[in-house]
Amino acid sequence: IEKPLSMPAGRQPPAGEGLAGLFEGGEPKGTLSVAVDPALYGGAVRAIPLWNARGPVGVLLLGPKQGSALYTQEEMEVARASGERLLDSLTSAAIGGRLMRLQRERMVQSQLLDQQTRRVLHDDVLPQLHTALLSLGGEGSREEAVDLLGDAHKRISDLLRALPAAAIEPVQRHGLWGALEKLLTQEMASSFDGVVLEASPAAREAMAALNPLAAEVLYYAARETVRNAARHGRKAGRPHHLKLIAACDVGLDLLIEDDGVGFARGENSQLADGGGHGLTLHGTLMAVAGGELSLESEPGRFTRVRMRMGDVAETMGVENGGTGP
């Protein structure tokens, strides 16, 4: 949710500063509510933490109860359940909207590519092949036929190179960690003054055991992050470094951080690139695949992206029977 929701409609919600710190320190889910200062929280008197399967996701602020009575435990439990359900519904709607937008864009790209392929084959390649056949049949020189066939071959070759490669090919060929190493040591090697790559043995095992969909989503989210850092992060006259660290506890965690220019809250040049593509859509795909993506940054210091791919046991391939390696 981009901004706080409030009722009744039109009521000015609190700015949000300090909300995230209300339940810092690992408060257990059994913490039903805490009292807050109405002067600091838009007139609210109670704050109720909201949770999902991955942990705390929000805070529900309650104003004074009508009649000046105290809230009962049952009322606060109902309020928390309703708030959590509302957040789940809003999240599902947002993910659905983003996926539909992504699907529309992919359909348009596919249609344009199909039309371009048909046009090149019909308007350029086939006439050249026909002319070459006529030349070989005696109506022209053999040298002319060879030139026409060579040009047709080049056009077909260029067309094939323009076609998108199989989406999961880097991961299939090198494995997830191998594909990430290749990305940073070869494809993006000249984009940074220094790169740190670290992966614990448990993280490597977890990456090798991920099902192909989860591995693909994680790889392309990481690649988008690295490319954004290379494109937007460098500050003139200052070295630019990047580190990628993989760890595994219950889930697989991937941290990508660069020491570039960073950005202030509200700027979105690092979040979306190319008319809607970028980390916003990759974060959506991560959520669909059972993971999550978060971003934090400080201007002039760093940009840090954390990716977590759910419970490793839930994202294993079928061949592992849903258990760890």
Side-chain angles (χ1 to χ4, degrees), residues 4-6 11-17 19 40-44 61:
L5 302 177
S6 63
R11 181 185 178 91
Q12 184 65 30
E17 289 79 1
L19 288 178
L40 298 178
Y41 294 96
L61 297 176

Side-chain angles (χ1 to χ4, degrees), residues 7-8 11 32-36 38 41-48 60-80:
M7 288 191 64
R11 181 185 178 91
L32 185 57
S33 71
V34 297
V36 295
Y41 294 96
V45 296
R46 306 294 301 182
I48 300 176
L60 174 64
L61 297 176
L62 297 178
K65 185 178 178 180
Q66 292 183 357
S68 301
L70 297 177
Y71 286 104
T72 66
Q73 179 175 342
E74 181 181 3
E75 288 171 335
M76 288 189 288
E77 289 176 347
V78 170
R80 181 170 66 182

Side-chain angles (χ1 to χ4, degrees), residues 251-276:
L252 175 63
D253 292 292
L254 205 64
L255 169 71
I256 302 177
E257 179 179 327
D258 74 283
D259 58 358
V261 298
F263 60 95
R265 186 175 181 179
E267 297 178 10
N268 58 10
S269 60
Q270 294 264 0
L271 293 175
D273 183 69

Side-chain angles (χ1 to χ4, degrees), residues 265-289:
R265 186 175 181 179
E267 297 178 10
N268 58 10
S269 60
Q270 294 264 0
L271 293 175
D273 183 69
H277 297 288
L279 290 186
T280 300
L281 289 176
H282 282 285
T284 301
L285 295 175
M286 287 281 294
V288 171

Side-chain angles (χ1 to χ4, degrees), residues 8 27 31 37 84 141 145 147 151 157 163 174 198 208 280 291 307 321:
E27 291 285 357
T31 301
D37 186 349
E84 291 170 348
S141 66
D147 290 340
D151 189 50
S157 177
L163 293 174
H174 307 288
E198 296 180 7
T280 300
M307 304 172 200

